[in-house]
Amino acid sequence: MNDFQYHNTTDIRFGRNHIDAELHDAVAQFGNKVLLTYGGQSIKRSGLYERVLKLLDGLEVVELGGIAPNPKIDSVREGQKLAKDNDVQVILAVGGGSVIDASKVIASARYYEGDPWDLVVKANGADRMLLPQLPVVDILTLAATGTEMNFGSVISNPETEQKLGTGGPQSPAVSFLAPELTFTVPANQTAAGSMDIMSHLIEQYFDKAPANDVSKGLIEGLMRTVIKWAPVALDQPDSYDARANLMWSATMALNGIVRSGNQNGWTVHPLEHELSAYYDITHGEGLGILTPRWMQHVLNEDTVALFARFGRNVWQINGEDDQQVALEAIDRTEDWIENLGIPMTLPAVGIKDEANFNVMATSAVKVGQLQTNAYVGLNVDDVITIYRESMKDWQKLSL
Amino acid sequence: MNDFQYHNTTDIRFGRNHIDAELHDAVAQFGNKVLLTYGGQSIKRSGLYERVLKLLDGLEVVELGGIAPNPKIDSVREGQKLAKDNDVQVILAVGGGSVIDASKVIASARYYEGDPWDLVVKANGADRMLLPQLPVVDILTLAATGTEMNFGSVISNPETEQKLGTGGPQSPAVSFLAPELTFTVPANQTAAGSMDIMSHLIEQYFDKAPANDVSKGLIEGLMRTVIKWAPVALDQPDSYDARANLMWSATMALNGIVRSGNQNGWTVHPLEHELSAYYDITHGEGLGILTPRWMQHVLNEDTVALFARFGRNVWQINGEDDQQVALEAIDRTEDWIENLGIPMTLPAVGIKDEANFNVMATSAVKVGQLQTNAYVGLNVDDVITIYRESMKDWQKLSL
């Protein structure tokens, strides 16, 4: 178990009865000049937009709508200008991961004189830029990324074909998690969001830190929860229990708790970020396609014990033979993803040829530091192999 | 899954390399007048006391030592006077749960003109007193109570034979968790501390809130961790892995995360608080004696499904019959506690007769609101039955 620091001050208001009673004060505690951010038309259709405006009565609200999935740096630039021009004191983000991610970067861009893409590019290393941030309050409308209780954002730049993670000094100040707001999330987004949660858990579970049973035990519990409730949410979109378990799992999967004491970086996310940077596919679908192929590729005599633990404690597979339990666990994972309705090959999401595999693999290895920092080190050829396997139908591994 | 708010700002510094590098600044950020609190001689014997004083070089330190297990209100009174007289700006608590609990109440008593026992008695209800608090920084030396990342304290008043829980507005500002500081914890305290962690998990697991799989999944992972590592810590007191898993499990068990969305209050703790209020026994030992008897008493057709889940997911018992799995799970729990070396009857900890059972049971039912607020409602007779069963040797329940 490695050393760690955990410090997360996000104030979570979870459930049915918080928004109407508490939203106004949660925002107004930071000032009366509010930047309201959101995505497309869905919050207008659902009535949430009107409801929020009514609750903000008495505050000065400027709006930035139209923040797209895989949020683009242009939205951040627009938000930066609005925040400065209007001397905004707090951002209220209403939406899913994209809206909140963009808002967190706008919160820092408010205090930056240059182009906010700098804040994304210079997120790591010696020249890291860590500006102050406006407080962000959010109302989450999709269970997926966990951004509602962490420091990170992922921003895309179509000009440079880059999709990069960045982190600010603060997690959101207050996050309202109201599961019933996700009743209207369509099946494909429910599936992609659930896969995103599952992927975050998998990325942090397959970790080299010795004897970190707290992390692994917490993650196993969250995985079983997502495995159980995602199909229910697809079958009964207005099941409060299903939506609530998915939403809180999403937050817990990526608020830093479950990776405490961990060691290595992530693998499948860097591989997927290349796909959605080049082809703008749905992030959760890319993860769903890549994850079982990655598992198959990194299963070896060093990793089989952890894959077998995953099989026994998460998939509740009986059996003495680690290798067989591991193979069955990977098959069960693939099967669960497929049953969510996620297209399971790259051609099925529109990636018809290998033209960009080399350049994408090179970038993934570099950005993800995959040779030195991954659970199992991967080089460019390894990544190309995983992309190539993702072109074909899945072949069952276990007997 | 019920509504909840989760907001916990404690800054955790976990591992080998934080104290020397960061303690001074963690304290000094709040001012240069420090109240240093601690318990008996163990931190002097171990060298920790000298090490801490050296790290506080340049700050004005006043000391309050001698805080006893089951901390007494007299220590709080003494701390209140020291904090006021010296215009203290921050408290540094070095010790286990008792030292930190007392320090958190002193932190509020600093701002109170009356007797600090008022702060304990008026912790709930309409006349709740919620004063500001001095920031508390702590260095934890025992994995047990979780006080290092929560709002609560338990304080005893020998004059009134009361042991009561209270809560302040703040959890500790910064908690240093260095597992190697617990290498020297004697076997009986290691066992009692591990039982305390396990009991916190059990109290929150056996909960009526519908469909709260996140909570139950997280708790199952923590329980398996404690079950695995407590015997290792007893066998190899300087196993870093064992001490680290126990310490972080203790914090996670009671920082509010795992009870998010829960419904009912606790049962075994109110029963035990009466024992240690009347007989000053070790809290974790009292919990160890009472827990299996409570489980046996509340197992019924309404609760058997959850006990069976506990058996399957925590004790990894196979079997189709819920009742048999439940009974075996209770036996396994009792067996694990006994193997920690905890005395398993009340006479074994010096409680030789039933003289106080009626008055203790009456108080436990009242303080714990056990008739209305427990997982399974208990009246005075139920509690007396549990105390009586605790006089006898355990009889195996399963085949």
Side-chain angles (χ1 to χ4, degrees):
Chain A
M1 199 161 162
N2 293 348
D3 283 16
F4 65 87
Q5 177 175 12
Y6 179 80
H7 188 208
N8 189 318
T9 61
T10 299
D11 183 350
I12 296 288
R13 315 281 178 97
F14 189 99
R16 297 175 174 87
N17 300 305
H18 288 287
I19 293 176
D20 290 334
E22 301 162 20
L23 181 70
H24 183 279
D25 290 358
V27 173
Q29 68 177 313
F30 300 112
N32 66 345
K33 293 179 184 170
V34 185
L35 175 62
L36 173 66
T37 57
Y38 52 94
Q41 293 300 310
S42 67
I43 70 161
K44 296 197 173 167
R45 277 197 306 274
S46 71
L48 180 59
Y49 173 81
E50 283 300 327
R51 181 178 166 202
V52 165
L53 279 187
K54 212 167 277 177
L55 289 167
L56 298 182
D57 197 35
L59 306 178
E60 291 174 38
V61 179
V62 292
E63 295 187 26
L64 172 67
I67 298 173
N70 295 324
K72 311 301 181 291
I73 189 65
D74 271 349
S75 287
V76 177
R77 290 175 180 137
E78 211 179 326
Q80 178 188 38
K81 185 165 173 3
L82 283 171
K84 287 187 181 194
D85 290 352
N86 296 282
D87 201 15
V88 156
Q89 295 162 302
V90 50
I91 300 178
L92 174 60
V94 182
S98 299
V99 172
I100 300 172
D101 275 13
S103 301
K104 285 154 81 176
V105 183
I106 293 168
S108 282
R110 160 71 184 85
Y111 296 102
Y112 184 53
E113 292 309 309
D115 179 14
W117 184 243
D118 297 346
L119 296 170
V120 180
V121 176
K122 297 184 184 170
N124 299 294
D127 61 346
R128 185 175 186 196
M129 303 185 64
L130 213 55
L131 275 76
Q133 268 181 310
L134 289 171
V136 175
V137 177
D138 64 79
I139 299 175
L140 184 67
T141 61
L142 183 72
T145 75
T147 187
E148 62 275 9
M149 198 179 176
N150 67 38
F151 301 78
S153 292
V154 181
I155 304 293
S156 291
N157 188 337
E159 297 150 39
T160 62
E161 284 177 323
Q162 283 175 297
K163 177 174 177 175
L164 297 175
T166 180
Q170 297 293 336
S171 56
V174 188
S175 288
F176 288 88
L177 311 187
E180 73 273 16
L181 294 179
T182 64
F183 287 175
T184 53
V185 173
N188 62 337
Q189 285 184 41
T190 299
S194 300
M195 183 61 223
D196 198 25
I197 305 167
M198 192 66 179
S199 176
H200 294 161
L201 295 168
I202 289 169
E203 299 268 28
Q204 297 170 102
Y205 186 78
F206 288 95
D207 182 272
K208 288 181 289 197
N212 195 355
D213 283 307
V214 176
S215 167
K216 299 214 187 314
L218 296 173
I219 292 175
E220 287 160 356
L222 292 170
M223 284 177 169
R224 288 196 306 273
T225 304
V226 176
I227 288 167
K228 171 179 172 180
W229 288 107
V232 179
L234 287 167
D235 194 45
Q236 307 163 42
D238 57 357
S239 161
Y240 185 87
D241 288 339
R243 298 297 192 173
N245 275 282
L246 288 176
M247 188 171 262
W248 187 222
S249 292
T251 307
M252 281 302 302
L254 208 49
N255 62 8
I257 283 276
V258 305
R259 70 140 190 250
S260 296
N262 266 3
Q263 185 154 325
N264 51 250
W266 292 18
T267 302
V268 182
H269 270 68
L271 266 60
E272 197 293 316
H273 283 178
E274 298 300 323
L275 295 183
S276 42
Y278 276 80
Y279 300 98
D280 208 14
I281 67 170
T282 301
H283 175 56
E285 294 185 351
L287 295 171
I289 297 165
L290 294 169
T291 294
R293 277 78 182 202
W294 167 76
M295 286 182 163
Q296 181 181 9
H297 192 81
V298 302
L299 176 63
N300 61 40
E301 60 183 16
D302 293 331
T303 64
V304 67
L306 184 52
F307 274 97
R309 177 178 173 157
F310 170 66
R312 294 187 180 106
N313 288 1
V314 176
W315 292 107
Q316 301 177 303
I317 299 166
N318 293 318
E320 293 298 309
D321 185 300
D322 275 7
Q323 178 73 11
Q324 279 308 313
V325 173
L327 292 173
E328 190 178 336
I330 298 173
D331 275 334
R332 294 276 293 275
T333 305
E334 196 280 339
D335 193 55
W336 179 81
I337 299 168
E338 192 169 340
N339 281 326
L340 296 180
I342 287 179
M344 287 308 285
T345 66
L346 293 180
V349 293
I351 302 173
K352 303 291 186 191
D353 61 52
E354 306 187 0
N356 292 313
F357 282 8
N358 192 55
V359 60
M360 293 194 307
T362 304
S363 172
V365 168
K366 181 167 171 245
V367 173
Q369 300 176 275
L370 298 183
Q371 286 180 292
T372 53
N373 200 28
Y375 173 58
V376 173
L378 300 183
N379 60 31
V380 172
D381 285 342
D382 290 313
V383 176
I384 290 175
T385 301
I386 292 169
Y387 285 147
R388 282 204 178 124
E389 289 295 320
S390 304
M391 299 295 284
K392 309 178 209 161
D393 287 336
W394 181 257
Q395 301 296 324
K396 222 168 160 27
L397 304 175
S398 57
L399 301 175
Chain B
M1 198 161 163
N2 293 348
D3 284 15
F4 64 87
Q5 177 176 13
Y6 178 79
H7 188 207
N8 189 317
T9 60
T10 300
D11 183 350
I12 296 288
R13 315 282 177 97
F14 189 99
R16 297 172 173 89
N17 301 305
H18 288 288
I19 293 176
D20 290 334
E22 301 162 18
L23 181 71
H24 182 279
D25 290 357
V27 172
Q29 69 178 312
F30 300 112
N32 65 345
K33 293 177 183 169
V34 186
L35 175 62
L36 173 66
T37 57
Y38 52 94
Q41 294 300 309
S42 67
I43 70 160
K44 296 196 173 168
R45 277 197 306 272
S46 70
L48 180 58
Y49 172 82
E50 283 300 326
R51 181 178 165 200
V52 166
L53 279 187
K54 213 167 276 177
L55 290 168
L56 297 182
D57 197 35
L59 305 178
E60 292 173 38
V61 179
V62 292
E63 296 187 26
L64 172 66
I67 298 173
N70 296 323
K72 310 300 181 290
I73 190 63
D74 271 349
S75 286
V76 177
R77 290 175 180 138
E78 212 179 324
Q80 179 187 38
K81 185 166 171 9
L82 281 171
K84 288 187 180 193
D85 290 352
N86 296 281
D87 200 16
V88 156
Q89 295 163 302
V90 50
I91 301 178
L92 174 60
V94 181
S98 300
V99 172
I100 299 173
D101 274 13
S103 300
K104 285 154 81 176
V105 183
I106 293 168
S108 282
R110 160 71 184 83
Y111 296 103
Y112 185 52
E113 292 309 311
D115 179 14
W117 184 243
D118 297 346
L119 295 170
V120 179
V121 176
K122 297 185 184 171
N124 298 295
D127 61 347
R128 184 176 187 195
M129 303 185 64
L130 212 57
L131 275 77
Q133 267 182 310
L134 289 172
V136 174
V137 177
D138 63 79
I139 299 175
L140 184 66
T141 61
L142 184 72
T145 75
T147 187
E148 63 275 10
M149 198 179 176
N150 67 37
F151 301 77
S153 293
V154 180
I155 305 293
S156 292
N157 188 338
E159 296 149 39
T160 62
E161 283 176 324
Q162 282 176 296
K163 177 175 178 176
L164 296 175
T166 180
Q170 297 294 335
S171 55
V174 188
S175 288
F176 288 88
L177 312 187
E180 73 272 15
L181 294 179
T182 63
F183 287 175
T184 53
V185 172
N188 62 337
Q189 286 184 40
T190 299
S194 299
M195 182 61 223
D196 197 25
I197 305 168
M198 191 68 180
S199 176
H200 295 161
L201 295 168
I202 288 169
E203 299 267 29
Q204 297 170 103
Y205 186 78
F206 288 95
D207 183 88
K208 287 182 287 196
N212 195 354
D213 283 307
V214 176
S215 167
K216 299 212 188 313
L218 296 173
I219 292 174
E220 287 161 357
L222 292 170
M223 284 176 168
R224 289 197 304 273
T225 304
V226 176
I227 289 166
K228 172 179 172 179
W229 288 107
V232 179
L234 288 167
D235 194 45
Q236 306 163 43
D238 57 356
S239 161
Y240 185 87
D241 289 339
R243 297 299 191 173
N245 275 282
L246 289 175
M247 188 171 261
W248 187 223
S249 293
T251 307
M252 282 301 302
L254 207 49
N255 62 8
I257 284 275
V258 305
R259 70 141 190 251
S260 296
N262 266 4
Q263 185 154 325
N264 51 251
W266 293 18
T267 301
V268 181
H269 271 67
L271 266 61
E272 197 294 316
H273 283 178
E274 298 299 323
L275 295 183
S276 41
Y278 276 80
Y279 299 99
D280 208 14
I281 68 170
T282 300
H283 175 57
E285 294 184 352
L287 295 171
I289 296 165
L290 293 170
T291 294
R293 277 78 180 201
W294 166 77
M295 287 182 162
Q296 181 181 8
H297 192 80
V298 301
L299 176 64
N300 61 40
E301 60 183 16
D302 292 331
T303 64
V304 67
L306 184 51
F307 275 97
R309 175 177 175 159
F310 171 67
R312 293 186 180 108
N313 288 0
V314 176
W315 292 108
Q316 300 176 304
I317 300 166
N318 293 318
E320 293 299 309
D321 185 298
D322 276 7
Q323 178 73 11
Q324 278 310 311
V325 173
L327 291 173
E328 190 177 336
I330 298 172
D331 275 334
R332 294 276 291 275
T333 305
E334 195 279 341
D335 193 54
W336 179 82
I337 300 167
E338 191 169 341
N339 281 326
L340 296 179
I342 287 178
M344 285 309 286
T345 66
L346 293 180
V349 293
I351 301 172
K352 303 290 187 193
D353 62 51
E354 305 188 0
N356 292 313
F357 281 8
N358 192 56
V359 60
M360 293 194 308
T362 304
S363 171
V365 168
K366 179 168 174 247
V367 172
Q369 301 176 274
L370 299 182
Q371 286 181 291
T372 53
N373 199 29
Y375 174 58
V376 173
L378 300 183
N379 60 30
V380 173
D381 285 342
D382 291 313
V383 176
I384 290 174
T385 302
I386 293 169
Y387 286 148
R388 282 204 178 123
E389 288 296 320
S390 304
M391 299 295 284
K392 309 177 209 161
D393 287 337
W394 181 257
Q395 301 295 326
K396 223 168 161 25
L397 304 174
S398 58
L399 301 175

